[in-house]
Amino acid sequence: MVKLALFVRLEAKPGKEKDVESFLLSGLPLVQAEPATTAWFGVRLGPSTFGIFDAFPDEDGRQAHLSGEVAAALMEKAGELFAQPPSIEKADVLAAKLPG
């Protein structure tokens, strides 16, 4: 059961859209190694707008993800890839359907 989530909005610098896409694709193997990251999605919301949505069973799982490799890579690449700092929003999951 997932109870908590994060939504991260990312705005690519002009000309960096493919690099942001590649960055998100490279994050998948990292989050697959995080047992408390129940769901993780790297998404494209528009021509230069991207996002990450992930869900967790509890606050410990969310905090482990925030201090994990993907978050570190995100902050390391922020100045190079993004027009503004990533917007990280914490959310409560009210309902979810996940594969069993």
Side-chain angles (χ1 to χ4, degrees):
M1 171 90 180
V2 294
K3 296 180 181 176
L4 303 175
L6 292 170
F7 178 71
V8 182
R9 182 177 286 270
L10 307 165
E11 188 64 36
K13 284 185 174 180
K16 294 291 186 176
E17 296 84 1
K18 285 287 185 193
D19 294 328
V20 173
E21 187 175 315
S22 294
F23 173 80
L24 290 174
L25 290 168
S26 73
L28 182 58
L30 299 175
V31 295
Q32 286 176 324
E34 296 177 356
T37 302
T38 305
W40 185 90
F41 301 90
V43 299
R44 184 174 213 146
L45 301 168
S48 63
T49 305
F50 297 82
I52 298 170
F53 179 81
D54 32 26
F56 314 92
D58 54 32
E59 187 60 35
D60 288 342
R62 183 162 63 182
Q63 288 305 316
H65 179 71
L66 285 169
S67 62
E69 291 185 50
V70 173
L74 183 68
M75 292 321 200
E76 180 182 318
K77 295 281 191 179
E80 174 189 337
L81 297 178
F82 307 121
Q84 57 211 24
S87 167
I88 302 172
E89 298 179 45
K90 291 183 177 181
D92 294 329
V93 175
L94 301 177
K97 179 183 183 270
L98 299 170

